[in-house]
Amino acid sequence: MNASLASKRVLILAFLLTAALSHAEQTNHVVLVGKARFTVIAPECIRIEYAKDGAFVDAKSMFAVGRDAACHDFKLSHDSDAVTIDTGRIRLRYRAVDKPFDPDNLQAQILRGKEWVEWRPGQDNLQNLGGTIRTLDQVKGPVDLGEGLLSRDGWYLLDDSRTHLLTNDWVEERPDNGNTDWYLFGYGSDYKAALKAMTRIGGPVPLPRKYVLGAWYSRYWPYSSKDYREIIDEYCEHDFPLDVIVMDMDWHKDGWTGWSWNRKLLPDAEELLQWFHQQGLRVTLNVHPADGVGPQEDMYDEFMRDMGEDPSTKQVLLYDAGNKKYLDTLFKDTHEPLEREGVDFWWLDWQQYPFTRSLPHLTNLAWLNHYYYQHTGRNGLRGQSFSRWAGWGDHRHPIHFSGDADTGWKMLTFEVPFTSTAGNVGCFFWSHDIGGHMGGRNEESYTRWVQFGALTAALRSHSTRSSEMDRRPWKYSQQAEDSMRIAFHLRSELFPYIYSSVWESCTESVPLNRPMYIEYPTREEAYRNPQQYFFGDNLLAAPITSPGEGTNKVAQQTVWWPPGDWYDWFTGERYTGESNEVVSADINRFPLYARGGAPIPLQPYSSRMSTAPLTNLVIRCYPGTVGASTKTTLYEDDGVTTAYLKGGSSRTVLTYRRDHDRVTVTVSPAEGIYQGQLEQRAYVVELATTGRPRIVTLNGKPADADYEEKSRTLHVRVPPQSIHKAVTVSASY
């Protein structure tokens, strides 16, 4: 009798579900079956909830801030005792029973290529491609990176059941009621779709401020105001670019935690900040907040009074990031005055107590990363974080600081795949201690590290408190300095390409440093060489990570070239795709290849690469496929505000076409406007690895061009003109 009643109950439920189906599809795309709720986020993602008490969570979580995101294309069907949700990529079947999910009542079929693979609760993700870890502190070589979103199994289950919830202006514990809150990602081999689905529910990766993508100087050392001024002058004298100056913990009074200027070293701190800005530099200060605000601090009395406490007690209030009044007051009295003096953003160097006091299951790192990002994003500015990785959802707070890594070769070797694999959890922009933080001086590895750093999110040199570890390149041998100058200059010249690629990362949800398998998921070769990666769409890098031999320190690296033609950036040598080879490079070069036919936007070298006006756009093109056109986009905006989110930006399409005896490069009119936009610019079209042409034209008329025999490069110079007019350069052979 009970079984019969249960069967009737399921049939009634199915009938009621059918009646409500049309309304559900047209409103919130939610399927409610008893104590279970399913929400289609995207064809590749379904939210799966079970609430024992029927109280489902609609609030945003620290991971899932896109609760309103939903897909319009799915089919709902039912049979006698189950419902099936079909998104096209996921067929999820649930048998309505009054108990939590298990392999008997919940299954999914996921489309992988031309086959369907099965998923059930509790199933291991056997072919996961890895994620990332909080920090490289104390790491000297390869370590387990945990799980990421991407897997050759074609699916991943993200458990959001215990993640804290975001209210209108704070954070709160999730009710401990044993409910289930899962996100099933089913994408087959379409890794880009998986990442897109993750940012749909987890929020997009925001565009960092442009200057943090430049060159940084950082060192744990008690520098004085005089020292800082001399260092900046030395960068100019030695012909190295610089965009950001980092003031490590000696900027403040003695102690691990500090908020007041160290007047012994920096008697004119306020003037120094203004001087930095006059030099075109931005400034970040290192903070270790854990000890709160002590009586020795300049703002102690004000802070205590704002907290409703008596300053005469000289007590130190326990640091509590989970307490809104405490954290708001701390920032008001310690951070905001320094920001008014000229501090641009903060280096949160949190390594202390893992959890907040008020919310014992909330990590300090996760909440402070969120808070710092929101705080620095006031008044129309882009938020800007600089801190260790705090886990799922922290992709919304770039860029990330990878910690105090070792200086050895094993660490450099591991840091290459560590950087690209991190994209599998949305950590698209790592900033490393270039050269390693501690472990002793290693001149050659530092030089190779700079080459790698030049093709990451930030070229940030840093080191620990050691007299031999100063990362200024001119403190090394002439050979090392000259090699590093090449890499620094390359970074500066590539900057328009880099910023455009970062914009693409944010809009398309693809890492800046991306594993080969994201672009070629069905090719086995794409999984076999983690020492190489795509840097944006059209550059392939395989940094040298081992000692070289001979006077010129020649070293080797294995490279796999995907389909198409690829050209060595330094020599112009052509490599045919779908092949492997061990290549060699001396200390002045490293394996870096440009995609044939792809216009690469560059700029002339600038000592302030991130803020130099792009008055001269260089467009380098290597030979493409005959009969094919290739387009790339130059992206521009004001670099620091959120105006780009409301259309305040510009995109210029660059097109390369190669016919049998003719190559044509077109610069389309710029689309969009933003504050500070140039109205005119000059162009240099560089056709690399080509012969001397018979005729060169600019907009159909004879052009100013010269041919460089040694590099086999044609340079076509276009005088300044409106960015809103098309430019067409043709070379006939």
Side-chain angles (χ1 to χ4, degrees):
M1 186 65 177
N2 289 340
S4 176
L5 287 174
S7 178
K8 289 180 180 178
R9 182 169 178 254
V10 171
L11 287 171
I12 292 170
L13 176 62
F15 174 78
L16 293 174
L17 183 61
T18 301
L21 176 56
S22 176
H23 177 70
E25 285 187 337
Q26 293 175 8
T27 56
N28 55 13
H29 309 282
V30 170
V31 178
L32 183 63
V33 186
K35 296 179 180 179
R37 185 170 75 166
F38 305 91
T39 307
V40 177
I41 304 300
E44 301 79 17
C45 180
I46 300 177
R47 185 186 185 192
I48 303 172
E49 300 171 89
Y50 182 84
K52 296 178 181 178
D53 55 2
F56 296 103
V57 172
D58 293 318
K60 298 177 181 179
S61 75
M62 289 283 284
F63 164 70
V65 299
R67 294 288 200 209
D68 297 331
C71 170
H72 293 273
D73 298 320
F74 73 95
K75 296 178 181 179
L76 183 62
S77 60
H78 61 84
D79 52 32
S80 60
D81 68 343
V83 294
T84 299
I85 297 171
D86 188 346
T87 73
R89 285 196 161 175
I90 304 174
R91 292 175 183 165
L92 186 142
R93 177 180 171 83
Y94 174 62
R95 186 166 57 86
V97 292
D98 191 18
K99 64 176 183 177
F101 300 127
D102 62 32
D104 292 328
N105 63 32
L106 184 66
Q107 305 93 36
Q109 299 291 317
I110 294 163
L111 185 61
R112 185 179 64 184
K114 296 181 179 180
E115 64 177 1
W116 291 87
V117 297
E118 186 175 72
W119 168 86
R120 293 174 184 257
Q123 187 172 330
D124 291 333
N125 197 244
L126 299 176
Q127 300 182 84
N128 196 277
L129 294 167
T132 197
I133 54 178
R134 181 180 67 90
T135 180
L136 292 177
D137 292 344
Q138 310 303 316
V139 173
K140 296 186 177 181
V143 295
D144 184 9
L145 295 177
E147 291 187 340
L149 179 66
L150 307 186
S151 172
R152 299 192 77 179
D153 290 334
W155 61 268
Y156 184 72
L157 184 72
L158 194 158
D159 189 350
D160 198 42
S161 303
R162 298 299 303 141
T163 307
H164 285 74
L165 302 178
L166 294 172
T167 62
N168 289 333
D169 62 354
W170 205 242
V171 62
E172 64 182 30
E173 298 272 6
R174 188 187 289 249
D176 187 11
N177 50 17
N179 288 353
T180 298
D181 193 351
W182 294 341
Y183 290 90
L184 176 62
F185 292 87
Y187 44 81
S189 58
D190 192 345
Y191 299 143
K192 289 185 177 181
L195 292 169
K196 197 78 169 180
M198 188 201 75
T199 57
R200 187 168 190 174
I201 184 62
V205 178
L207 194 59
R209 296 180 190 173
K210 192 175 182 181
Y211 58 77
V212 304
L213 304 168
W216 304 33
Y217 178 71
S218 178
R219 187 187 183 196
Y220 178 25
W221 194 258
Y223 284 129
S224 67
S225 294
K226 181 175 180 292
D227 293 332
Y228 278 119
R229 287 182 167 88
E230 290 176 351
I231 289 169
I232 306 309
D233 290 342
E234 288 173 358
Y235 265 87
C236 180
E237 293 168 7
H238 291 270
D239 194 23
F240 280 84
L242 187 63
D243 297 270
V244 178
I245 192 75
V246 180
M247 302 178 77
D248 211 323
M249 60 182 295
D250 290 290
W251 71 267
H252 60 70
K253 292 180 179 179
D254 292 343
W256 192 248
T257 295
W259 310 107
S260 310
W261 289 113
N262 181 344
R263 297 296 179 181
K264 297 176 184 177
L265 291 172
L266 309 168
D268 61 342
E270 297 84 356
E271 290 80 4
L272 179 64
L273 292 179
Q274 295 307 310
W275 184 82
F276 282 144
H277 287 164
Q278 291 166 8
Q279 304 307 306
L281 300 171
R282 300 292 185 147
V283 186
T284 183
L285 303 187
N286 175 283
V287 288
H288 298 86
D291 294 336
V293 182
Q296 77 279 7
E297 301 292 351
D298 297 346
M299 73 295 296
Y300 173 78
D301 288 0
E302 183 179 1
F303 172 76
M304 291 295 285
R305 284 193 293 268
D306 287 345
M307 285 295 295
E309 302 288 345
D310 182 1
S312 67
T313 64
K314 302 302 180 185
Q315 68 169 317
V316 179
L317 302 181
L318 294 177
Y319 187 85
D320 188 1
N323 182 299
K324 187 176 190 305
K325 179 179 179 182
Y326 181 92
L327 204 56
D328 287 348
T329 304
L330 179 82
F331 271 67
K332 170 183 175 293
D333 293 333
T334 62
H335 289 64
E336 292 180 17
L338 291 168
E339 290 165 349
R340 288 191 290 271
E341 291 170 4
V343 175
D344 294 290
F345 65 108
W346 302 89
W347 174 11
L348 175 63
D349 202 359
W350 184 272
Q351 305 175 70
Q352 294 79 34
Y353 320 113
F355 300 105
T356 68
R357 299 180 189 275
S358 292
L359 298 170
H361 300 104
L362 175 66
T363 66
N364 275 297
L365 184 61
W367 185 239
L368 286 172
N369 283 3
H370 173 88
Y371 193 94
Y372 269 92
Y373 190 86
Q374 298 299 317
H375 174 81
T376 54
R378 297 164 300 150
N379 303 319
L381 288 175
R382 299 175 197 176
Q384 186 58 61
S385 291
F386 180 40
S387 178
R388 289 171 174 81
W389 175 252
W392 292 105
D394 204 30
H395 65 275
R396 299 190 302 275
H397 313 124
I399 60 175
H400 289 90
F401 158 56
S402 64
D404 303 339
D406 186 73
T407 61
W409 286 103
K410 289 183 179 179
M411 183 69 254
L412 173 57
T413 301
F414 175 57
E415 204 165 83
V416 175
F418 168 85
T419 306
S420 52
T421 303
N424 296 354
V425 292
C427 185
F428 289 176
F429 309 120
W430 271 125
S431 172
H432 300 302
D433 285 4
I434 301 300
H437 184 76
M438 57 182 64
R441 182 183 177 99
N442 188 327
E443 181 170 298
E444 187 179 355
S445 80
Y446 177 40
T447 304
R448 293 300 192 182
W449 221 307
V450 167
Q451 294 173 348
F452 166 57
L455 296 185
T456 63
L459 180 50
R460 180 179 58 84
S461 301
H462 183 63
S463 60
T464 190
R465 204 179 190 114
S466 167
S467 59
E468 67 173 6
M469 296 277 282
D470 189 344
R471 294 302 185 201
R472 282 174 282 179
W474 48 94
K475 298 294 183 180
Y476 294 77
S477 70
Q478 190 64 52
Q479 182 187 53
E481 178 187 346
D482 291 344
S483 172
M484 286 188 272
R485 184 179 293 106
I486 292 171
F488 271 81
H489 278 233
L490 172 66
R491 175 77 179 196
S492 177
E493 292 162 4
L494 280 172
F495 201 81
Y497 172 82
I498 293 171
Y499 194 57
S500 298
S501 297
V502 168
W503 165 72
E504 182 200 34
S505 289
C506 297
T507 55
E508 299 300 322
S509 300
V510 290
L512 176 64
N513 291 47
R514 70 192 71 151
M516 304 300 292
Y517 52 73
I518 287 184
E519 298 291 344
Y520 298 96
T522 62
R523 296 179 180 268
E524 286 299 319
E525 297 91 339
Y527 298 87
R528 293 175 180 168
N529 188 9
Q531 292 302 121
Q532 69 181 64
Y533 57 89
F534 276 107
F535 187 62
D537 281 345
N538 297 312
L539 292 180
L540 189 161
I544 297 294
T545 61
S546 59
E549 297 179 352
T551 303
N552 293 326
K553 296 181 171 56
V554 177
Q556 287 75 41
Q557 186 59 277
T558 301
V559 179
W560 171 67
W561 291 279
D565 288 335
W566 297 86
Y567 292 84
D568 187 300
W569 188 266
F570 298 97
T571 68
E573 185 175 356
R574 174 177 171 265
Y575 294 86
T576 302
E578 302 192 68
S579 63
N580 291 273
E581 190 173 323
V582 176
V583 298
S584 300
D586 64 25
I587 196 65
N588 292 325
R589 299 189 295 110
F590 63 98
L592 173 63
Y593 307 94
R595 189 190 300 272
I600 307 291
L602 309 171
Q603 67 183 4
Y605 169 75
S606 170
S607 61
R608 300 289 182 264
M609 69 177 79
S610 66
T611 53
L614 191 54
T615 54
N616 292 275
L617 175 63
V618 180
I619 305 167
R620 181 179 295 187
C621 305
Y622 291 88
T625 302
V626 174
S629 296
T630 305
K631 297 179 184 292
T632 62
T633 299
L634 170 70
Y635 173 80
E636 300 173 279
D637 60 27
D638 63 29
V640 293
T641 78
T642 57
Y644 76 97
L645 294 173
K646 300 177 181 179
S649 63
S650 174
R651 288 157 300 284
T652 303
V653 176
L654 312 174
T655 305
Y656 170 97
R657 180 173 179 82
R658 180 184 177 190
D659 295 304
H660 289 289
D661 61 350
R662 188 178 185 183
V663 169
T664 303
V665 177
T666 303
V667 181
S668 297
E671 297 181 359
I673 58 174
Y674 62 91
Q675 187 70 32
Q677 183 177 24
L678 295 174
E679 288 300 317
Q680 286 195 324
R681 66 164 46 109
Y683 304 90
V684 178
V685 175
E686 294 183 349
L687 300 182
T689 318
T690 188
R692 186 186 292 274
R694 294 182 296 103
I695 303 171
V696 179
T697 62
L698 167 61
N699 296 332
K701 298 179 180 180
D704 177 17
D706 61 78
Y707 182 74
E708 186 179 329
E709 293 283 354
K710 185 177 181 180
S711 65
R712 300 181 63 232
T713 301
L714 177 71
H715 302 270
V716 184
R717 292 173 174 79
V718 180
Q721 55 193 277
S722 171
I723 64 170
H724 303 294
K725 293 183 178 180
V727 172
T728 300
V729 170
S730 293
S732 299
Y733 295 86

